Amino acid sequence: MKEYKFKIGDKEYTATVVDTESGALEVTVGGKIYNVELPEHKHAIKPVVKPAVAPAAPAAAPAAPKPAAVAGGNAVSAPLNGKITQVLVKVGDQVAAGDTVVMLEAMKMENAITAENAGTVKAVLVNVGDQVDGGQALVELA
């Protein structure tokens, strides 16, 4: 859910926008709910009648994935799903704690993935262009 505050003339509004399972957006402005579809070349806005019942509590967020275990070493793991855009180390390189080892694109942002501990790169487990899951081991340190 996203919340937006805006002003029209001298009147302030708050709008909440929620993605629905059907792909449409549910937009609430001033207590009125709209089902908004955004096809490529046309916009359709239809009011939705909702019962006056308090919304259910949101579902608990899924547990964060556990880093993949790597036998005999320390793994530098992906914190979230994304695409590998750069691999900055190779087998045999020495890295210090905090050194960037991989660049990961996720949610249209570049993320520097850093080593938590110092060590020697024992294995590079990904290549540029690979899609990775959160928790997946990227680099193994000895």
Side-chain angles (χ1 to χ4, degrees):
M1 176 174 75
K2 293 183 181 178
E3 186 173 283
Y4 300 92
K5 295 185 184 290
F6 59 96
K7 192 174 187 179
I8 299 176
D10 292 334
K11 191 165 182 179
E12 293 185 9
Y13 296 89
T14 299
T16 57
V17 180
V18 177
D19 290 320
T20 65
E21 290 179 14
S22 69
L25 301 176
E26 187 174 277
V27 180
T28 305
V29 180
K32 192 168 186 179
I33 300 171
Y34 298 91
N35 189 6
V36 180
E37 296 177 9
L38 301 172
E40 285 184 20
H41 299 291
K42 87 177 194 190
H43 301 316
I45 301 177
K46 300 180 268 183
V48 175
V49 178
K50 292 272 185 171
V53 177
K66 295 180 181 175
V70 175
N74 296 315
V76 177
S77 301
L80 65 167
N81 299 347
K83 179 180 178 181
I84 302 298
T85 59
Q86 291 181 27
V87 177
L88 303 170
V89 295
K90 62 185 181 308
V91 173
D93 285 353
Q94 294 288 323
V95 295
D99 283 356
T100 301
V101 296
V102 173
M103 294 298 291
L104 175 74
E105 181 181 298
M107 298 181 289
K108 298 181 183 179
M109 293 178 53
E110 286 275 316
N111 299 277
I113 309 304
T114 59
E116 288 186 24
N117 303 308
T120 302
V121 176
K122 183 176 178 182
V124 177
L125 306 171
V126 293
N127 295 302
V128 172
D130 287 355
Q131 291 289 334
V132 297
D133 295 324
Q136 180 177 336
L138 308 174
V139 174
E140 182 182 352
L141 301 178

PDB file of all heavy atoms in Angstrom, residues 3-4 21 29-30 32 42 46-47 52 65 70 88 94 97 116:
ATOM      1  N   GLU A   3       0.770   5.586   0.180  1.00  0.00           N
ATOM      2  CA  GLU A   3      -0.079   6.699   0.576  1.00  0.00           C
ATOM      3  C   GLU A   3       0.476   7.972  -0.044  1.00  0.00           C
ATOM      4  O   GLU A   3       1.689   8.181  -0.036  1.00  0.00           O
ATOM      5  CB  GLU A   3      -0.106   6.819   2.103  1.00  0.00           C
ATOM      6  CG  GLU A   3      -1.074   7.871   2.582  1.00  0.00           C
ATOM      7  CD  GLU A   3      -1.215   7.868   4.091  1.00  0.00           C
ATOM      8  OE1 GLU A   3      -1.917   6.975   4.606  1.00  0.00           O
ATOM      9  OE2 GLU A   3      -0.617   8.742   4.710  1.00  0.00           O
ATOM     10  N   TYR A   4      -0.404   8.778  -0.605  1.00  0.00           N
ATOM     11  CA  TYR A   4      -0.024  10.033  -1.239  1.00  0.00           C
ATOM     12  C   TYR A   4      -0.819  11.163  -0.618  1.00  0.00           C
ATOM     13  O   TYR A   4      -2.015  11.021  -0.360  1.00  0.00           O
ATOM     14  CB  TYR A   4      -0.304   9.988  -2.741  1.00  0.00           C
ATOM     15  CG  TYR A   4       0.450   8.902  -3.461  1.00  0.00           C
ATOM     16  CD1 TYR A   4      -0.115   7.647  -3.652  1.00  0.00           C
ATOM     17  CD2 TYR A   4       1.744   9.125  -3.928  1.00  0.00           C
ATOM     18  CE1 TYR A   4       0.587   6.642  -4.303  1.00  0.00           C
ATOM     19  CE2 TYR A   4       2.441   8.126  -4.577  1.00  0.00           C
ATOM     20  CZ  TYR A   4       1.860   6.890  -4.759  1.00  0.00           C
ATOM     21  OH  TYR A   4       2.549   5.901  -5.395  1.00  0.00           O
ATOM     22  N   GLU A  21      -5.307  -8.297  -6.700  1.00  0.00           N
ATOM     23  CA  GLU A  21      -4.925  -9.544  -7.368  1.00  0.00           C
ATOM     24  C   GLU A  21      -5.253  -9.518  -8.853  1.00  0.00           C
ATOM     25  O   GLU A  21      -4.622 -10.188  -9.648  1.00  0.00           O
ATOM     26  CB  GLU A  21      -5.630 -10.721  -6.701  1.00  0.00           C
ATOM     27  CG  GLU A  21      -5.115 -11.001  -5.313  1.00  0.00           C
ATOM     28  CD  GLU A  21      -5.828 -12.163  -4.645  1.00  0.00           C
ATOM     29  OE1 GLU A  21      -6.531 -12.927  -5.336  1.00  0.00           O
ATOM     30  OE2 GLU A  21      -5.671 -12.297  -3.422  1.00  0.00           O
ATOM     31  N   VAL A  29      -9.800   7.793  -1.778  1.00  0.00           N
ATOM     32  CA  VAL A  29      -9.644   9.240  -1.614  1.00  0.00           C
ATOM     33  C   VAL A  29     -10.862   9.748  -0.862  1.00  0.00           C
ATOM     34  O   VAL A  29     -11.991   9.520  -1.287  1.00  0.00           O
ATOM     35  CB  VAL A  29      -9.536   9.972  -2.975  1.00  0.00           C
ATOM     36  CG1 VAL A  29      -9.371  11.467  -2.774  1.00  0.00           C
ATOM     37  CG2 VAL A  29      -8.388   9.426  -3.803  1.00  0.00           C
ATOM     38  N   GLY A  30     -10.631  10.426   0.244  1.00  0.00           N
ATOM     39  CA  GLY A  30     -11.727  10.995   1.012  1.00  0.00           C
ATOM     40  C   GLY A  30     -12.745   9.964   1.449  1.00  0.00           C
ATOM     41  O   GLY A  30     -13.939  10.243   1.481  1.00  0.00           O
ATOM     42  N   LYS A  32     -13.770   7.418  -0.159  1.00  0.00           N
ATOM     43  CA  LYS A  32     -14.417   6.780  -1.302  1.00  0.00           C
ATOM     44  C   LYS A  32     -13.398   5.895  -2.014  1.00  0.00           C
ATOM     45  O   LYS A  32     -12.278   6.315  -2.279  1.00  0.00           O
ATOM     46  CB  LYS A  32     -14.975   7.830  -2.256  1.00  0.00           C
ATOM     47  CG  LYS A  32     -15.901   7.268  -3.295  1.00  0.00           C
ATOM     48  CD  LYS A  32     -16.646   8.379  -4.009  1.00  0.00           C
ATOM     49  CE  LYS A  32     -17.674   7.781  -4.948  1.00  0.00           C
ATOM     50  NZ  LYS A  32     -18.430   8.824  -5.639  1.00  0.00           N
ATOM     51  N   LYS A  42      -5.678   3.539 -22.250  1.00  0.00           N
ATOM     52  CA  LYS A  42      -6.889   4.156 -21.730  1.00  0.00           C
ATOM     53  C   LYS A  42      -6.966   3.959 -20.229  1.00  0.00           C
ATOM     54  O   LYS A  42      -6.427   3.019 -19.683  1.00  0.00           O
ATOM     55  CB  LYS A  42      -8.130   3.616 -22.435  1.00  0.00           C
ATOM     56  CG  LYS A  42      -8.728   2.376 -21.861  1.00  0.00           C
ATOM     57  CD  LYS A  42      -9.988   1.992 -22.608  1.00  0.00           C
ATOM     58  CE  LYS A  42     -10.720   0.957 -21.791  1.00  0.00           C
ATOM     59  NZ  LYS A  42     -11.800   0.339 -22.477  1.00  0.00           N
ATOM     60  N   LYS A  46     -13.741   3.188 -11.864  1.00  0.00           N
ATOM     61  CA  LYS A  46     -15.070   2.743 -11.487  1.00  0.00           C
ATOM     62  C   LYS A  46     -15.176   2.753  -9.972  1.00  0.00           C
ATOM     63  O   LYS A  46     -14.330   2.170  -9.303  1.00  0.00           O
ATOM     64  CB  LYS A  46     -15.321   1.314 -11.990  1.00  0.00           C
ATOM     65  CG  LYS A  46     -15.231   1.163 -13.492  1.00  0.00           C
ATOM     66  CD  LYS A  46     -15.478  -0.269 -13.898  1.00  0.00           C
ATOM     67  CE  LYS A  46     -14.151  -0.991 -13.972  1.00  0.00           C
ATOM     68  NZ  LYS A  46     -14.219  -2.356 -14.410  1.00  0.00           N
ATOM     69  N   PRO A  47     -16.209   3.409  -9.408  1.00  0.00           N
ATOM     70  CA  PRO A  47     -16.370   3.343  -7.954  1.00  0.00           C
ATOM     71  C   PRO A  47     -16.666   1.908  -7.522  1.00  0.00           C
ATOM     72  O   PRO A  47     -17.316   1.168  -8.226  1.00  0.00           O
ATOM     73  CB  PRO A  47     -17.570   4.237  -7.662  1.00  0.00           C
ATOM     74  CG  PRO A  47     -17.802   5.024  -8.905  1.00  0.00           C
ATOM     75  CD  PRO A  47     -17.186   4.273 -10.032  1.00  0.00           C
ATOM     76  N   ALA A  52     -19.369  -1.451   5.116  1.00  0.00           N
ATOM     77  CA  ALA A  52     -18.805  -0.614   6.174  1.00  0.00           C
ATOM     78  C   ALA A  52     -18.297  -1.484   7.312  1.00  0.00           C
ATOM     79  O   ALA A  52     -18.765  -1.404   8.441  1.00  0.00           O
ATOM     80  CB  ALA A  52     -19.843   0.373   6.660  1.00  0.00           C
ATOM     81  N   PRO A  65      14.318 -14.922   4.060  1.00  0.00           N
ATOM     82  CA  PRO A  65      14.993 -16.169   3.722  1.00  0.00           C
ATOM     83  C   PRO A  65      16.309 -16.295   4.473  1.00  0.00           C
ATOM     84  O   PRO A  65      16.981 -15.315   4.723  1.00  0.00           O
ATOM     85  CB  PRO A  65      15.238 -16.049   2.212  1.00  0.00           C
ATOM     86  CG  PRO A  65      15.146 -14.609   1.912  1.00  0.00           C
ATOM     87  CD  PRO A  65      14.236 -14.016   2.948  1.00  0.00           C
ATOM     88  N   VAL A  70      27.045 -22.671   2.963  1.00  0.00           N
ATOM     89  CA  VAL A  70      28.155 -23.061   2.102  1.00  0.00           C
ATOM     90  C   VAL A  70      29.124 -23.831   2.981  1.00  0.00           C
ATOM     91  O   VAL A  70      29.598 -23.316   3.985  1.00  0.00           O
ATOM     92  CB  VAL A  70      28.848 -21.823   1.479  1.00  0.00           C
ATOM     93  CG1 VAL A  70      30.064 -22.246   0.680  1.00  0.00           C
ATOM     94  CG2 VAL A  70      27.873 -21.056   0.611  1.00  0.00           C
ATOM     95  N   LEU A  88      32.796  -8.187  -8.707  1.00  0.00           N
ATOM     96  CA  LEU A  88      33.985  -7.369  -8.504  1.00  0.00           C
ATOM     97  C   LEU A  88      35.175  -8.135  -7.916  1.00  0.00           C
ATOM     98  O   LEU A  88      36.218  -7.538  -7.674  1.00  0.00           O
ATOM     99  CB  LEU A  88      33.637  -6.190  -7.594  1.00  0.00           C
ATOM    100  CG  LEU A  88      32.485  -5.313  -8.121  1.00  0.00           C
ATOM    101  CD1 LEU A  88      32.032  -4.329  -7.062  1.00  0.00           C
ATOM    102  CD2 LEU A  88      32.914  -4.586  -9.379  1.00  0.00           C
ATOM    103  N   GLN A  94      41.841 -11.208  -1.945  1.00  0.00           N
ATOM    104  CA  GLN A  94      41.685 -10.932  -0.518  1.00  0.00           C
ATOM    105  C   GLN A  94      40.633  -9.829  -0.379  1.00  0.00           C
ATOM    106  O   GLN A  94      40.681  -8.843  -1.107  1.00  0.00           O
ATOM    107  CB  GLN A  94      43.007 -10.433   0.097  1.00  0.00           C
ATOM    108  CG  GLN A  94      44.113 -11.461   0.102  1.00  0.00           C
ATOM    109  CD  GLN A  94      43.857 -12.557   1.116  1.00  0.00           C
ATOM    110  OE1 GLN A  94      43.342 -12.313   2.200  1.00  0.00           O
ATOM    111  NE2 GLN A  94      44.198 -13.790   0.753  1.00  0.00           N
ATOM    112  N   ALA A  97      36.408  -6.902   5.525  1.00  0.00           N
ATOM    113  CA  ALA A  97      35.018  -6.714   5.928  1.00  0.00           C
ATOM    114  C   ALA A  97      34.543  -5.368   5.390  1.00  0.00           C
ATOM    115  O   ALA A  97      35.232  -4.364   5.523  1.00  0.00           O
ATOM    116  CB  ALA A  97      34.892  -6.763   7.440  1.00  0.00           C
ATOM    117  N   GLU A 116      30.794  -9.462   4.954  1.00  0.00           N
ATOM    118  CA  GLU A 116      30.667  -9.154   6.387  1.00  0.00           C
ATOM    119  C   GLU A 116      31.980  -9.407   7.113  1.00  0.00           C
ATOM    120  O   GLU A 116      32.242  -8.793   8.133  1.00  0.00           O
ATOM    121  CB  GLU A 116      29.558  -9.996   7.012  1.00  0.00           C
ATOM    122  CG  GLU A 116      28.177  -9.553   6.591  1.00  0.00           C
ATOM    123  CD  GLU A 116      27.084 -10.317   7.329  1.00  0.00           C
ATOM    124  OE1 GLU A 116      27.351 -10.824   8.444  1.00  0.00           O
ATOM    125  OE2 GLU A 116      25.981 -10.403   6.794  1.00  0.00           O
TER     126      GLU A 116
END
